[in-house]
Amino acid sequence: MRPIICSKMDFSQSNLFGYIEDLQELTIIERPVRRSLKTPEEIERLTVNEELSDIERAVYLLSSGQDIQGTSVVANLPVLMRQNPAETLRRVLPKIREVLHVAGVEMQLTAAVSFLTVLQEESVSIHTYSHSFLHIILQNLEHRDAGVSNAWLETLLAVIEALPKETVRHEILNPLISKAQLSQTLQSRLVSCKIMGKVANKFEAHIVKREVLPLVKSLCQDVEYEVRTCMCRQLEHIARGIGTELTKTVVLPELVELARDEGSSVRLAAFETLVNLLDMFDADDRSQTVLPLVKSFCEKSFKTDESILVSLSFHLGKLCNGLYGIFTPEQHLRFLEFYKKLSTLGLQQENGHNDNQLQLQTLEQEKKYISVRKNCAYNFPAMIVFVDPKNFHLELYSIFFCLCHDPEVPVRYTMAISFFEVAKLLNSDVYTIHKELVTLLQDESLEVLDALVSHLPEILELMTNRGENNGSESKLLSIPDLIPALTTAEQRAATSLKWRTHEKLLQKYACLPHIISSDQIYYRFLHRMLTIILTNNVLPVQKAAARTLCIYLRYNRKQEQRHEVIQKLIEQLGQGKSYWNRLRFLDTCEFIMELFSKSFFCKYFFLPVLELTHDPVANVRMKLCCLLPKVKSTLKIPTDKHLLQQLELCIRKLLCQEKDKDVLTIVKRTVLELDRMEISVDAFQKRFYENDLLDQEKERQEHLLLEMEQLEKEKHQNEGRSTNINDKMFEKKRRDSKASSVLAKSINLSVPGSSAGTSAGKEEKKSKLVRSQSFSTQALHPKYSNIDKCPNKSSATGYASSVSGMGKSCMLSFSDDSFRTHSTGNSGNAAFPSSSSRNLFNSADQKNNGNKESHSRKMSM
């Protein structure tokens, strides 16, 4: 056994030594390494005297500098034209003209861009520009490099729009006649085609007919298919310039001939130009000329010429709606079936040979079929208009389902983009696409989700307001799987690396208070937003979650839930162990000042914010100091006088005790800003009228939430009491109908716990509850885009009438200790902290009390 082991060891060692010898041989090969990028001689040549002016330096670099230096001078030409246009035109521009004859591609491209910039900045008059720059552009137009030639051509086309007609005619149009001849180069004829498309809109129709159209006909019959294709694509611009009559007699026959060309690219260009010019043809031309051509294109696209499929699918929506008036029912159905066939192209094959035929397809065919289905998704809204939205479920729903479930992401992405347009077109029949909305929300691709979320608030509003269930109670049943789909979409965005999609999703979720109930938001979304603020590491995502949480809190309809959320914000953010959470608390407070009334912020968040003046982290104190002017703007005098004293005390402590230099600098700057601020008072002032009115509206809606909650509780209590009374009535002995009716009236009038003590008061409360509920669906739920705006006058009037219908005892019943003012001296303002809002309804209360007395007298009689 030992000899075998030794032989194996020797073998492995020899291999190892062989590898080492090879490595040693490689080390012998040495490559010369330059220790510096430039030699002293090269540095000397690149050195320029610093005492030279900009013009002199530019001339020197163009004359004796290297190519990279000359390119920098050409790129800096617009700056030189702004600083010293006369000297630049006299000394620099001639040098540039000389250099461009032998310049490379980079300098040529830079010069084309610089010349265009000079034109756009209008550094010189158009006459001077045409005299100095136009000839250089025309000289380099036929450069041997195609990229350079196209760059100069784009510059020339932009110059043609600004040049006067006479200059265009003498400098461009006249030389164009010779350069468009068949004897010229291919590049020259292609350039002539594009110039004629731009020149046609510059002159009158008779000049174009006499000087341009003969050249157009000649280039349409050129021997090279590239020239015919290019000229065919310019026919649209020429037709717009010469009008409908000449288009019908000159352009349309050329298009018909080009549509039958042997080159597929020529036929494709003719088809696209025909579609774009449909609005210029009358009904006879459409039915007798255009429609037969389109039918032949559709027939050939599947049989002999698949190259036109992508373009045909892209223009099909425009084509169908452009020819809609001349279609017979049979033709209408035929084009619809053609669209359906394109929508599933590549997914299913005829005769049951799906698998075998898909294996034979090349990669190019698969890409082509994906593009066709993507174009069909793009044209889907146009096809809804084509078939009429009323026939959507019968004609197009199956195609809509297939496109939303397409295996390729680009197709589903396009459907997600156009989903909002489809929902708008369906109007009251939007309920038919609820399932597809849920499917796209749960799509595995975040690109699809990102495209759908862009218009998610508008889509959900359409679905809840125009669907089958229009009532506020049954509105949530219209999309049964919506809430799980929304939560799943948010979780997938949170676990991905695409934080911008997550941020957009959270911003759009702020529309949910207008879509689903307050309890569902509280249990399924609100706590999730708080978790994101506490655990997410991306600042824009945290801020989006904080703002959405504040909006959820703004429209929460239960006081207990609101108090719980406020308590969590203060404890977990404002008093959190991490300074990052305390910074997010200040961001949240900024959103609360934006969305809530001043009294709400002062009641719950003013003192917790001031406590952060003692924060051990300097960044928190710096952010707080920057926020103090906004905090002070929430105060009202004399109601919040004690809070103003607290604020001044905190600022004094900061000035005296702050040791951090950066924080102290910000504190001093903030003190100056606070001294210049004026505090608003309880009464309206002209300077703060708009802000006070907006704040009063926010405060009114907050009180209305309390009122609605109290009325709902009283409603449930009264329903339970009425049930008990009815049970007692059934247990009594039978009486005659007259006596029983009298007894029922006496029982209804003696129900304990009623606010008014009469049946009229109960009816008044019921009507008030109805008005409050209607406000919750209208004034309380405006559009998401107008969430910070005041409701209109009608909502304010409705609220005034509802408040005036309540007695003083009802006012005091729903305003508990948690929603009283923070001023201990003003105990009479329990229901309305703002004196302006309290005085607003005094006259209405007195008037309504008089109505109650008269109504009770009538009842007693």
Side-chain angles (χ1 to χ4, degrees):
M1 294 294 292
R2 289 181 181 177
I4 297 175
I5 294 175
C6 292
S7 64
K8 288 185 177 180
M9 289 293 294
D10 293 339
F11 180 75
S12 62
Q13 289 176 359
S14 64
N15 287 338
L16 179 61
F17 290 138
Y19 291 141
I20 293 176
E21 291 175 358
D22 293 339
L23 292 174
Q24 290 176 351
E25 291 177 359
L26 290 174
T27 58
I28 298 174
I29 304 174
E30 294 182 359
R31 295 181 179 178
V33 179
R34 294 182 62 179
R35 296 184 179 181
S36 61
L37 296 176
K38 298 292 181 182
T39 62
E41 293 79 9
E42 291 174 338
I43 295 175
E44 181 66 25
R45 286 199 302 268
L46 293 172
T47 304
V48 181
N49 188 2
E50 296 181 358
E51 296 180 358
L52 296 177
S53 64
D54 293 338
I55 300 295
E56 292 174 346
R57 184 184 299 110
V59 173
Y60 172 77
L61 292 176
L62 288 171
S63 302
S64 58
Q66 296 188 2
D67 289 342
I68 189 171
Q69 293 176 319
T71 303
S72 67
V73 172
V74 174
N76 200 42
L77 181 63
V79 179
L80 296 176
M81 289 296 299
R82 288 195 298 268
Q83 294 175 352
N84 195 347
E87 286 297 312
T88 303
L89 293 174
R90 188 176 68 86
R91 300 182 61 186
V92 179
L93 195 61
K95 284 291 182 182
I96 291 178
R97 178 185 296 179
E98 294 176 6
V99 172
L100 286 177
H101 285 293
V102 293
V105 173
E106 185 176 358
M107 185 180 290
Q108 289 277 354
L109 295 175
T110 305
V113 175
S114 297
F115 281 27
L116 182 59
T117 305
V118 171
L119 174 69
Q120 294 171 345
E121 293 180 355
E122 298 180 356
S123 304
V124 293
S125 63
I126 192 63
H127 177 74
T128 304
Y129 187 91
S130 62
H131 178 72
S132 304
F133 291 87
L134 184 59
H135 293 287
I136 303 177
I137 296 174
L138 294 173
Q139 286 175 3
N140 295 277
L141 197 59
E142 298 182 13
H143 196 273
R144 58 183 178 274
D145 187 271
V148 173
S149 178
N150 289 330
W152 285 112
L153 178 61
E154 293 298 324
T155 303
L156 178 62
L157 295 178
V159 170
I160 289 175
E161 294 183 357
L163 291 176
K165 292 182 181 180
E166 290 301 320
T167 304
V168 174
R169 187 167 187 175
H170 292 292
E171 300 292 339
I172 298 175
L173 186 58
N174 292 337
L176 192 66
I177 298 174
S178 61
K179 292 185 178 183
Q181 301 299 322
L182 191 61
S183 58
Q184 296 294 323
T185 62
L186 175 64
Q187 183 68 23
S188 177
R189 301 203 300 276
L190 290 174
V191 169
S192 300
C193 292
K194 295 180 180 180
I195 293 176
M196 276 190 286
K198 180 65 71 172
V199 167
N201 294 319
K202 193 76 178 178
F203 297 101
E204 291 79 8
H206 65 277
I207 298 178
V208 176
K209 180 181 179 181
R210 185 178 66 250
E211 300 186 10
V212 176
L213 287 183
L215 294 176
V216 170
K217 291 181 179 181
S218 173
L219 292 171
C220 285
Q221 299 173 2
D222 196 277
V223 295
E224 299 291 340
Y225 74 93
E226 295 100 329
V227 179
R228 298 197 301 273
T229 303
C230 184
M231 192 66 253
C232 184
R233 295 193 180 278
Q234 299 301 318
L235 288 179
E236 178 184 355
H237 304 292
I238 295 172
R240 304 287 181 190
I242 62 179
T244 55
E245 293 298 328
L246 286 175
T247 299
K248 182 177 180 179
T249 57
V250 179
V251 176
L252 185 57
E254 293 294 334
L255 282 174
V256 172
E257 186 175 352
L258 291 170
R260 301 188 178 98
D261 195 275
E262 59 183 7
S264 60
S265 61
V266 181
R267 295 195 300 271
L268 181 60
F271 169 74
E272 294 177 355
T273 306
L274 275 171
V275 175
N276 293 332
L277 290 176
L278 279 177
D279 56 334
M280 296 194 68
F281 301 139
D282 54 21
D284 294 336
D285 293 333
R286 294 180 189 179
S287 59
Q288 298 175 7
T289 306
V290 179
L291 184 57
L293 282 175
V294 171
K295 289 170 63 177
S296 66
F297 273 112
C298 296
E299 292 172 357
K300 293 179 181 179
S301 60
F302 281 106
K303 296 179 181 179
T304 58
D305 191 5
E306 286 192 351
S307 61
I308 203 173
L309 270 179
V310 177
S311 178
L312 184 59
S313 61
F314 181 76
H315 292 91
L316 190 59
K318 186 176 181 179
L319 185 64
C320 290
N321 286 280
L323 299 176
Y324 181 79
I326 63 171
F327 278 152
T328 63
E330 182 182 355
Q331 291 171 340
H332 186 280
L333 182 61
R334 187 174 181 179
F335 274 87
L336 180 60
E337 293 298 326
F338 181 73
Y339 172 77
K340 292 180 180 180
K341 190 173 182 180
L342 291 178
S343 301
T344 57
L345 188 64
L347 298 179
Q348 56 187 4
Q349 302 293 334
E350 298 177 357
N351 301 324
H353 298 291
N354 188 15
D355 296 336
N356 295 331
Q357 293 186 6
L358 281 177
Q359 291 176 0
L360 295 176
Q361 288 178 358
T362 62
L363 184 61
E364 292 296 326
Q365 282 180 323
E366 291 179 2
K367 291 182 179 179
K368 185 186 299 182
Y369 292 160
I370 293 171
S371 300
V372 168
R373 298 200 303 273
K374 179 183 175 182
N375 292 337
C376 289
Y378 168 77
N379 282 305
F380 195 84
M383 297 307 296
I384 293 179
V385 177
F386 180 65
V387 301
D388 195 338
K390 296 179 181 178
N391 301 323
F392 167 77
H393 193 273
L394 181 64
E395 300 288 350
L396 288 177
Y397 177 73
S398 59
I399 299 301
F400 184 75
F401 178 86
C402 292
L403 292 174
C404 289
H405 292 81
D406 195 275
E408 299 297 333
V409 173
V411 182
R412 302 197 304 273
Y413 174 81
T414 308
M415 285 304 300
I417 291 177
S418 60
F419 199 95
F420 175 51
E421 296 296 329
V422 173
K424 283 197 301 184
L425 290 171
L426 292 180
N427 201 356
S428 60
D429 294 333
V430 71
Y431 65 90
T432 57
I433 59 173
H434 287 173
K435 294 181 180 179
E436 283 68 34
L437 173 64
V438 174
T439 299
L440 292 177
L441 281 172
Q442 296 174 339
D443 195 276
E444 60 184 8
S445 173
L446 282 178
E447 295 178 2
V448 177
L449 179 62
D450 186 83
L452 183 67
V453 163
S454 299
H455 290 286
L456 185 63
E458 295 86 352
I459 294 171
L460 293 178
E461 182 184 359
L462 289 172
M463 291 206 166
T464 53
N465 294 337
R466 298 184 184 180
E468 283 183 315
N469 304 316
N470 292 324
S472 60
E473 298 294 334
S474 58
K475 182 166 60 174
L476 304 176
L477 302 176
S478 59
I479 315 178
D481 299 328
L482 175 63
I483 294 178
L486 291 174
T487 54
T488 303
E490 190 277 323
Q491 290 171 1
R492 283 195 302 102
T495 55
S496 69
L497 297 178
K498 297 182 179 180
W499 62 266
R500 288 181 177 84
T501 301
H502 193 198
E503 179 193 11
K504 183 196 291 188
L505 195 72
L506 296 177
Q507 291 172 349
K508 299 300 181 180
Y509 276 14
C511 72
L512 293 183
H514 320 312
I515 309 300
I516 60 180
S517 67
S518 176
D519 285 338
Q520 288 176 316
I521 290 177
Y522 177 77
Y523 291 111
R524 300 299 295 272
F525 295 98
L526 196 147
H527 292 286
R528 175 60 183 166
M529 297 298 154
L530 185 59
T531 303
I532 293 172
I533 300 172
L534 292 170
T535 60
N536 199 282
N537 296 325
V538 182
L539 180 58
V541 173
Q542 287 181 309
K543 287 189 174 182
R547 180 178 174 81
T548 303
L549 184 144
C550 293
I551 293 173
Y552 290 166
L553 182 64
R554 171 74 175 81
Y555 289 108
N556 189 280
R557 298 183 62 178
K558 289 189 178 180
Q559 185 176 342
E560 182 180 353
Q561 295 176 357
R562 290 195 294 272
H563 287 174
E564 180 185 350
V565 175
I566 292 170
Q567 191 68 22
K568 285 185 177 181
L569 287 174
I570 295 174
E571 292 178 355
Q572 299 182 19
L573 290 180
Q575 300 171 1
K577 295 182 180 180
S578 172
Y579 87 98
W580 189 258
N581 290 341
R582 299 195 294 275
L583 288 175
R584 300 294 74 77
F585 176 72
L586 294 176
D587 290 332
T588 306
C589 290
E590 196 168 358
F591 293 135
I592 288 173
M593 285 186 282
E594 176 188 351
L595 297 171
F596 289 82
S597 64
K598 297 178 180 179
S599 60
F600 183 90
F601 175 80
C602 291
K603 181 176 181 179
Y604 294 106
F605 293 97
F606 192 92
L607 294 178
V609 167
L610 292 186
E611 289 178 1
L612 293 178
T613 54
H614 309 290
D615 195 276
V617 180
N619 288 353
V620 179
R621 301 196 301 273
M622 289 173 64
K623 188 174 183 65
L624 173 63
C625 293
C626 296
L627 194 63
L628 285 179
K630 289 185 178 180
V631 173
K632 185 179 179 181
S633 65
T634 61
L635 298 177
K636 290 183 179 181
I637 299 299
T639 306
D640 302 324
K641 186 176 181 180
H642 66 293
L643 295 179
L644 180 60
Q645 294 174 354
Q646 293 286 337
L647 176 62
E648 293 173 350
L649 179 62
C650 291
I651 294 173
R652 291 194 193 99
K653 288 183 179 180
L654 284 172
L655 285 172
C656 298
Q657 301 176 4
E658 184 58 52
K659 298 180 180 179
D660 190 278
K661 294 181 179 179
D662 296 330
V663 179
L664 189 59
T665 303
I666 296 178
V667 170
K668 293 178 180 179
R669 190 172 61 202
T670 304
V671 168
L672 296 176
E673 186 176 353
L674 291 174
D675 291 339
R676 291 193 296 266
M677 288 182 61
E678 296 183 10
I679 304 177
S680 61
V681 297
D682 289 339
F684 277 101
Q685 292 178 302
K686 291 183 178 180
R687 289 170 296 178
F688 310 108
Y689 180 77
E690 293 183 0
N691 293 332
D692 290 344
L693 193 64
L694 178 62
D695 182 69
Q696 184 189 22
E697 185 60 35
K698 293 178 181 177
E699 190 174 342
R700 182 183 69 81
Q701 294 183 5
E702 291 164 7
H703 290 316
L704 187 57
L705 282 171
L706 293 174
E707 180 184 351
M708 290 164 55
E709 182 181 1
Q710 183 64 26
L711 288 175
E712 288 176 357
K713 289 180 180 179
E714 292 181 1
K715 179 183 177 183
H716 293 313
Q717 292 175 1
N718 292 336
E719 288 177 353
R721 289 168 183 165
S722 63
T723 303
N724 294 332
I725 293 172
N726 290 331
D727 293 340
K728 292 179 181 179
M729 289 175 60
F730 282 112
E731 292 174 359
K732 291 181 179 181
K733 295 180 180 181
R734 292 184 178 181
R735 297 180 180 179
D736 58 319
S737 59
K738 186 175 181 179
S740 63
S741 63
V742 174
L743 181 60
K745 288 182 180 180
S746 63
I747 291 175
N748 287 331
L749 291 173
S750 61
V751 174
S754 61
S755 61
T758 61
S759 61
K762 288 185 67 177
E763 294 297 329
E764 195 170 337
K765 277 195 172 185
K766 291 180 180 179
S767 63
K768 186 173 183 180
L769 180 60
V770 172
R771 288 196 298 271
S772 300
Q773 290 174 346
S774 65
F775 180 83
S776 69
T777 59
Q778 296 176 5
L780 191 59
H781 301 290
K783 287 188 176 180
Y784 171 63
S785 59
N786 298 329
I787 192 169
D788 301 334
K789 296 182 180 179
C790 292
N792 52 17
K793 295 181 180 179
S794 61
S795 63
T797 307
Y799 172 73
S801 64
S802 65
V803 171
S804 64
M806 292 189 66
K808 292 182 179 179
S809 61
C810 184
M811 283 288 187
L812 295 174
S813 63
F814 72 84
S815 56
D816 58 354
D817 296 337
S818 61
F819 272 75
R820 290 177 185 170
T821 56
H822 25 270
S823 177
T824 56
N826 297 333
S827 60
N829 299 343
F832 295 95
S834 173
S835 62
S836 60
S837 61
R838 183 181 65 248
N839 295 332
L840 189 63
F841 306 113
N842 284 341
S843 60
D845 288 336
Q846 294 174 1
K847 183 177 179 181
N848 194 53
N849 290 334
N851 294 335
K852 285 184 179 180
E853 293 174 0
S854 62
H855 190 67
S856 61
R857 285 197 297 269
K858 291 181 181 179
M859 290 295 296
S860 62
M861 292 176 62

